[in-house]
Amino acid sequence: MKKDPFSLFIEDSAYYSKNEYYKLMYETKRVFFDYLYKNKTLAEFKKETAKIWEKVDHKYMAERIKELEDMIMARDLEGNKIINPDAEYKQIYELASEKVFQNVEKKYKYNIDEYYKGRRKTANKSYIDRESYLSKLVTKYDEVQATIPYHNKDGSVRSWHNIADYNSMLYNTNLNHAGWNRTMYDANLLDKELLYLPAHTFACPLCMPYQGKVYDKNGGSGYTSDGVRYYPQEEAIAGGVGHPNCRHQWTIYWDKDQIQENDYNSDEWQEDYEKKQKIQALQLKRTKLKNDKKIYEDLGNGSEVDKTNAKIKKINATIKELNK
């Protein structure tokens, strides 16, 4: 079952962004162990990793936002009278600036640099078996990456993230809110109160009960002239729609022909969602293990290479079983 093109567009773009960050993280990790093994200085390490992080290009997000706005304008306004064709797009929901992304990257880089400095002092001691010490450090290294907090509305820390997860969340939320901005502005421009929240497959349990329904952006409830029930938009938002990494897009409600036959809201779909999340987590773990295997190979630790291969084989079997 295919998702609607707008949810798919957002998901693909955010997934690409996340994978690109993980590539940079894995490259940094390999340099970390290679340089420690070869006894290179902190200055040399900082210089090499600076080259890696200079590759980040935030223009990709701006380009995707522009594409999404164009898609939504074509979707909502085509064939309908535009009251003011010269009206300028304006933000309704705040978007994270490029500086936020850069600050997260700087924090990550600082933590890795400090970690390198501390581990180098230990690795340089004459009584340390460098190969064994670094091999044991491969798995512990990942602990220093989850240093970026995601805060609840009351200011408390909800969860800790590494740079790939956090910046992907920022990226996805920006992309999604850009779409919300466009639709809400167009609705105000055309004096349309009612919005539709298209349903897509593999929606999270928070959003699942709210998708595929009509809402009033001004808080009303009742029935449309063609007999469709509508609810206050705030109910859906308070229930979870629009959470970080949410991919639901609002569209202007025109008539009941928009209502989908399947709202993908059932126990079976929730099970499918949970299974998909497990598969994605395993795939990410497999990618990390493959990167670790390269590090073990560079360190000449054949025993750890064999152990890692066994873990990868087990993950492949689990993924195969989940995909049945």
Side-chain angles (χ1 to χ4, degrees):
M1 181 69 68
K2 290 185 178 180
K3 291 186 180 181
D4 70 275
F6 308 99
S7 296
L8 191 61
F9 172 82
I10 293 169
E11 180 173 336
D12 287 349
S13 298
Y15 187 68
Y16 174 83
S17 172
K18 185 172 183 175
N19 282 346
E20 288 302 297
Y21 270 112
Y22 267 113
K23 287 179 184 177
L24 298 178
M25 289 172 61
Y26 293 148
E27 189 175 352
T28 300
K29 186 175 183 179
R30 290 195 297 271
V31 170
F32 181 94
F33 285 95
D34 181 56
Y35 274 40
L36 274 183
Y37 191 57
K38 294 176 180 176
N39 196 27
K40 294 194 175 184
T41 66
L42 173 63
E44 291 175 299
F45 174 73
K46 291 174 71 171
K47 184 177 179 180
E48 185 63 27
T49 53
K51 292 178 185 177
I52 295 172
W53 289 95
E54 286 171 1
K55 297 177 182 178
V56 180
D57 183 2
H58 297 295
K59 292 196 297 291
Y60 179 81
M61 182 181 67
E63 291 167 356
R64 298 295 79 73
I65 285 178
K66 179 62 170 61
E67 286 182 41
L68 184 65
E69 290 169 1
D70 290 343
M71 290 170 71
I72 289 174
M73 175 171 282
R75 177 185 65 185
D76 283 343
L77 301 184
E78 186 176 2
N80 294 280
K81 180 181 178 182
I82 298 181
I83 298 172
N84 179 8
D86 298 320
E88 293 183 1
Y89 162 76
K90 62 180 180 181
Q91 287 187 359
I92 297 172
Y93 296 90
E94 183 180 357
L95 303 182
S97 67
E98 182 176 332
K99 187 176 181 181
V100 177
F101 291 78
Q102 293 173 336
N103 287 340
V104 173
E105 290 156 11
K106 287 177 182 176
K107 181 179 178 68
Y108 168 79
K109 234 341 232 94
Y110 173 80
N111 288 335
I112 296 301
D113 290 344
E114 288 297 298
Y115 197 56
Y116 186 88
K117 182 168 63 176
R119 295 299 179 175
R120 186 171 182 274
K121 289 180 181 178
T122 304
N124 284 346
K125 297 185 184 300
S126 58
Y127 56 84
I128 293 291
D129 180 339
R130 192 181 297 269
E131 178 190 307
S132 299
Y133 173 70
L134 294 181
S135 294
K136 291 178 181 178
L137 191 61
V138 171
T139 54
K140 291 184 178 181
Y141 172 95
D142 300 315
E143 295 174 2
V144 304
Q145 296 178 356
T147 55
I148 304 157
Y150 169 66
H151 293 92
N152 294 310
K153 291 181 179 180
D154 63 3
S156 60
V157 175
R158 178 176 179 176
S159 54
W160 295 89
H161 298 262
N162 64 35
I163 184 176
D165 287 336
Y166 193 84
N167 271 7
S168 175
M169 180 178 70
L170 283 177
Y171 178 93
N172 184 56
T173 303
N174 266 19
L175 190 61
N176 204 46
H177 273 198
W180 283 31
N181 291 340
R182 182 73 259 179
T183 299
M184 296 301 292
Y185 178 66
D186 290 343
N188 292 336
L189 181 69
L190 298 172
D191 197 25
K192 301 287 286 186
E193 287 190 21
L194 298 183
L195 306 170
Y196 180 60
L197 189 66
H200 64 69
T201 57
F202 300 107
C204 76
L206 279 177
C207 299
M208 197 179 289
Y210 300 100
Q211 63 179 2
K213 296 178 181 178
V214 178
Y215 296 89
D216 186 331
K217 65 183 179 65
N218 295 326
S221 62
Y223 290 87
T224 66
S225 59
D226 50 5
V228 176
R229 178 79 182 271
Y230 63 87
Y231 309 85
Q233 184 191 22
E234 186 54 41
E235 282 187 10
I237 295 175
V241 174
H243 61 80
N245 282 327
C246 179
R247 297 182 175 94
H248 279 95
Q249 278 292 308
W250 299 99
T251 179
I252 294 173
Y253 177 74
W254 300 106
D255 56 54
K256 63 181 180 181
D257 288 340
Q258 289 172 263
I259 307 297
Q260 297 160 274
E261 291 183 9
N262 194 338
D263 61 7
Y264 308 114
N265 179 19
S266 66
D267 291 341
E268 289 78 14
W269 276 112
Q270 183 163 341
E271 289 174 7
D272 286 344
Y273 168 82
E274 292 170 354
K275 184 168 73 171
K276 182 183 178 184
Q277 293 296 103
K278 289 178 183 177
I279 291 173
Q280 289 181 339
L282 287 168
Q283 289 171 334
L284 180 58
K285 186 176 181 180
R286 180 176 60 189
T287 303
K288 186 187 85 67
L289 286 172
K290 287 180 178 179
N291 188 66
D292 289 352
K293 187 177 81 168
K294 292 178 183 177
I295 295 172
Y296 290 132
E297 288 172 345
D298 291 340
L299 295 175
N301 193 329
S303 175
E304 288 298 328
V305 170
D306 291 340
K307 290 179 184 177
T308 306
N309 277 330
K311 291 177 183 178
I312 293 171
K313 185 177 180 180
K314 186 176 180 180
I315 287 175
N316 286 338
T318 303
I319 293 174
K320 185 177 179 179
E321 184 66 26
L322 286 170
N323 276 322
K324 286 183 178 179

